[in-house]
Amino acid sequence: MRVLVVLVWTVLAYSKCDEYDEQRARILALESRLALGGNTSLSAAESRLNDCLMRHKLHELDYGYLHPEHYNFSQHFFKYKDAIPQSKVYRIIKAMPKGAVLHVHDMSVLGPDYMLNITYMEHLYVCFGERIQFRFSIKMPNISCDGHWQLMKDARKASKNLTEFDAMIRDQFTLVVENPDVVYPSINETWTRFGRYFSSIYYLIAYRPVWEQYTYDALTALRNENVMYAELRSSLQTLHELDGTTHDKLTTAKTYKKVINQFVKDHPDFCGAKIIYAPPRSENRQAVASNIQFLRETRKKVPDLFIGFDLVGREDMGYPLLEFVPVLKKVTDVNFFFHAGETNWYGSGTDENLIDAVLLGAKRLGHAYALLKHPAVVREVQARGVALEVNVVSNAVLSLVRDVRNHPLSEFLAAGLPVVLSSDDPGAWEADPLSDDWYVAFTGVASRHADLRMLKTLALNSLKYSALEPPEKQQVLEDFHVRWNHFVDHFDCSSY
Amino acid sequence: MRVLVVLVWTVLAYSKCDEYDEQRARILALESRLALGGNTSLSAAESRLNDCLMRHKLHELDYGYLHPEHYNFSQHFFKYKDAIPQSKVYRIIKAMPKGAVLHVHDMSVLGPDYMLNITYMEHLYVCFGERIQFRFSIKMPNISCDGHWQLMKDARKASKNLTEFDAMIRDQFTLVVENPDVVYPSINETWTRFGRYFSSIYYLIAYRPVWEQYTYDALTALRNENVMYAELRSSLQTLHELDGTTHDKLTTAKTYKKVINQFVKDHPDFCGAKIIYAPPRSENRQAVASNIQFLRETRKKVPDLFIGFDLVGREDMGYPLLEFVPVLKKVTDVNFFFHAGETNWYGSGTDENLIDAVLLGAKRLGHAYALLKHPAVVREVQARGVALEVNVVSNAVLSLVRDVRNHPLSEFLAAGLPVVLSSDDPGAWEADPLSDDWYVAFTGVASRHADLRMLKTLALNSLKYSALEPPEKQQVLEDFHVRWNHFVDHFDCSSY
């Protein structure tokens, strides 16, 4: 009898043990399946790559877990960006085919070193006033400035210390500083400096030949990241010639088409680039209506270039989308890719851009940072298959979040929402055109368990949610798989 | 014919307009209903109070929206805590009946001024070594220290500058500093200082008469916040007498019962306090088993005091719950209130405490900060009716999040998850025992639209999810409604 009792007790205890372990395993399995990439399976070769990738990732995380004072991702991006290239995880990601870039602004792909080089070109004038102005011109610019115009090469020659002079000039083209917590105590200081950045580079690249070269070199930089396709947001800035002749926006569009065609011809492995016309959100309702009309006319004149429309500028401070709804809701022939929810102001008009962007039928949402504060919008996003263009480094640099582990991307990934990773304005913070964002997202934001399946899914998402037409998309996806398999098959863990 | 076309066009355009507005209104209404408090309706008197409350809230938010550089909540709590009392929203919240406090540690309810006062008591010895040690004793303590023991009053008398001396002593009892970003560059420095805080106060309140007075005064502080009931986490520290006699933990439990009974007798409007026995998570599996056994025995000897069990200490660094599952899953006669998910390490063992806490049947989760990274656990939490004990100021001070608008509480509230607000260790960061947390959550974290319905629901949640037995709970809820209605009926907007 006693033996029987012990036996029954043991069986019961054991089955309870089993039950707990089973429930736990079920939850973990469900979370793994729900997460982005959870339904992807890996080939034998992919699994070998994954083993290498995850060994390095866990090593980085374990070190940070034990030594949080040396863990980079809890700090400001500027504090650890220079250490990133030492990461083996980063180096693998850098070499990996990453599909497309779907959220990047055309004026800020390239960094301050590139811009500094431009200031060494002939015929550049500079005016040192309250801010520094540049202008390419065959003669002294006839433009008011609160200093006086001089040739840049004369100013450079007259400088006492060339290194310091160039550092001062370069500083105009970057938000990077050594002490970001002091320089950027609030989002306002960050955006003020961001505004200075744009006004500094604007006229440097407004000179048509520079603009053409810049655009070509921006595509080169993206291709060097193992990106095969790009959708650039552009306000189509007006270009000018040395003699002061100013072109209209149509010329910018045509020039885009010319440069992209040339680039694809020179690099047949690059599938091309398209433009989202994105004028400022600070303009009024009538301006938005005429911008839409301009897009309609221009895309007829320059076919196969434009894929849609957005409004840009600091979302918190411009008009909310609601202001433009009377105009935009009547538009049925233009695809929308609205910035929405790039804010911490829960319940504000800006925050509600998420609602209007979705109701206006946006194909993708730019940032969607505040999305999870809107469970009803999450449902719409899922039902309508709207992709989320997440730019994690941008959100950190532009003062939305400090420790990227608090970025909602972790929750987007956990819920398997349709995320595409992008870089927004990487040149402005001296980040890679895409790899830094992938690295920070993979190692800093995603689960410790997130692996190659997530990365592959992110790459596939960037093509799936692109605005390519079905036959083009199919071709690009096939090209991607060829490239991906080549990368996987030739992967050698020891070379990273 | 032309008139007809125009007419049809107008009707179509108008109906499309209607449709958009309706869809938008439907989403807003759904989000309002889903949010915490969304199903509460307000009486006429409550609506009047709400009008006043929201006028002041929107004024604060509008100012911050236009002047983010002056918006406090994006800063470290220490940068704005002294400005809080000027807020009219805060003053209304302070006066409001708030129900219960369900997550507060017994040793850290009262702040540094209170502790400094204790150092003026007779028979206190101090040793200035690498750290400062205190001990109440009738004679020189026979305890090793890396300085020498002297009477505190002699040390104070010998100090050249009493103000500086007292400031130095007071500094031991607080984490507050003027330059938190410099002093706390990572979570490690914060927890090191938090450890010093506990070791400094430990022996000051280990002297039985001080402990009794401290506990009585802590209850007074909670009652002064318009709290009517408390569930305190306690490790039941051992108490001693002046002659060095040391009591066991059973004595601490009995003393608790005595002090609480006395307090309720003195303040019949206070419904009492209960204890969650919460020894450290740094102990091993056998220790946890014997702590559970100790709880079983002690609650027989001291009835109506203990409501359950938890494990405390820095969750990132102690054992994960999984280590104790073999012991804890066999326990069916003890309620669990586990700390879980007080971490930014997504996918780590600590992070998975959320899974084990829920599977072990926890009635509430302490912090649950990382919950939304676990959609499968969210489902369990909803299905099982597990409450979330959110301590927003604590999470900000203890280096999980900087700008509280990134605290997941905003998403918990949006989803209507069963939140109770609490304060964790308010004395350690010189916060109110509850009002600061309510104020930060309401004005800083929740939606701009969140109003009195949310606050009332938070108060009701704190009673609903308390461990009170059904008849007691019913009585306390009735008492709460009497108090709430009294507050609402006598509310005068002009007096705030």
Side-chain angles (χ1 to χ4, degrees), chain B residues 73 75-81 84 90 175-176 190 194 342 367 369 389-402 404 407 409 421-442 444-445:
Chain B
F73 295 113
Q75 309 295 317
H76 192 288
F77 177 70
F78 296 164
K79 291 285 187 186
Y80 65 85
K81 65 180 284 303
I84 291 179
Y90 166 81
L175 270 69
V176 175
T190 318
F194 199 31
E342 188 186 3
H367 297 286
Y369 185 82
E389 301 166 348
V390 175
N391 308 289
V392 61
V393 174
S394 167
N395 299 150
V397 170
L398 294 179
S399 300
L400 282 186
V401 65
R402 161 70 82 71
V404 292
H407 193 291
L409 173 60
L421 289 185
S422 199
S423 55
D424 208 12
D425 303 278
W429 36 83
E430 306 185 36
D432 286 338
L434 189 57
S435 296
D436 281 335
D437 277 90
W438 271 54
Y439 171 66
V440 171
F442 181 63
V445 181

Side-chain angles (χ1 to χ4, degrees), chain A residues 16 65 329 369 406 411, chain B residues 16 329 350 369 406 411:
Chain A
K16 193 179 174 194
Y65 190 75
K329 74 179 173 188
Y369 186 83
N406 288 310
E411 297 160 17
Chain B
K16 193 177 175 196
K329 74 180 174 187
T350 309
Y369 185 82
N406 287 309
E411 298 161 17

Side-chain angles (χ1 to χ4, degrees), chain A residues 16-17 20-21 23-24 27-28 30-31 34 61 64-66 68-69 71 75 185-189 314-317 322 325 329-332 344-348 350 352 355-356 359-360 369 372-377 379-380 384 400-403 405-406 408 410-411 414-415 445-449, chain B residues 16-17 20-21 23-24 27-28 30-31 34 61 64-66 68-69 71 75 185-189 314-317 322 325 329-332 344-348 350 352 355-356 359-360 369 372-377 379-380 384 400-403 405-406 408 410-411 414-415 445-449:
Chain A
K16 193 179 174 194
C17 162
Y20 188 95
D21 294 349
Q23 282 186 320
R24 194 176 200 279
I27 286 183
L28 285 171
L30 176 57
E31 294 200 341
L34 286 172
L61 290 176
Y65 190 75
L66 291 174
E69 70 279 19
Y71 181 72
Q75 310 295 317
S186 91
I187 194 169
N188 259 13
E189 290 79 8
R314 183 170 169 190
E315 204 181 329
D316 271 347
M317 292 292 152
L322 187 59
V325 162
K329 74 179 173 188
K330 292 179 198 150
V331 176
T332 54
N344 273 326
W345 292 103
Y346 184 16
S348 67
T350 309
E352 291 181 359
I355 299 174
D356 292 297
L359 288 184
L360 288 167
Y369 186 83
L372 295 173
K373 293 169 180 169
H374 297 277
V377 182
R379 292 180 195 180
E380 293 291 329
R384 296 165 182 245
L400 281 186
V401 64
R402 162 69 82 70
D403 186 330
R405 295 174 299 176
N406 288 310
S410 61
E411 297 160 17
V445 181
S447 169
R448 178 180 171 86
H449 306 303
Chain B
K16 193 177 175 196
C17 162
Y20 188 95
D21 294 351
Q23 282 186 323
R24 194 175 201 281
I27 287 184
L28 285 171
L30 176 56
E31 293 200 342
L34 285 172
L61 289 177
Y65 189 76
L66 291 175
E69 71 278 19
Y71 181 72
Q75 309 295 317
S186 90
I187 193 169
N188 259 13
E189 290 79 9
R314 183 171 168 188
E315 202 181 331
D316 272 344
M317 293 290 151
L322 187 60
V325 162
K329 74 180 174 187
K330 294 179 196 146
V331 176
T332 54
N344 273 327
W345 292 103
Y346 183 17
S348 67
T350 309
E352 291 181 359
I355 299 173
D356 292 297
L359 288 184
L360 288 167
Y369 185 82
L372 295 175
K373 293 170 182 169
H374 297 276
V377 182
R379 293 180 194 183
E380 293 291 328
R384 295 164 184 246
L400 282 186
V401 65
R402 161 70 82 71
D403 184 330
R405 294 175 298 176
N406 287 309
S410 60
E411 298 161 17
V445 181
S447 169
R448 177 179 171 86
H449 307 303

Side-chain angles (χ1 to χ4, degrees), chain B residues 89-130:
Chain B
V89 175
Y90 166 81
R91 287 184 216 164
I92 296 170
I93 283 176
K94 184 97 177 164
M96 189 177 283
K98 285 180 281 290
V101 163
L102 300 184
H103 186 119
V104 67
H105 296 274
D106 63 348
M107 284 171 69
S108 41
V109 176
L110 300 173
D113 295 324
Y114 186 93
M115 299 313 299
L116 181 64
N117 262 345
I118 292 179
T119 69
Y120 274 86
M121 288 176 65
E122 287 292 309
H123 307 302
L124 179 63
Y125 283 83
V126 65
C127 171
F128 294 98
E130 199 182 331

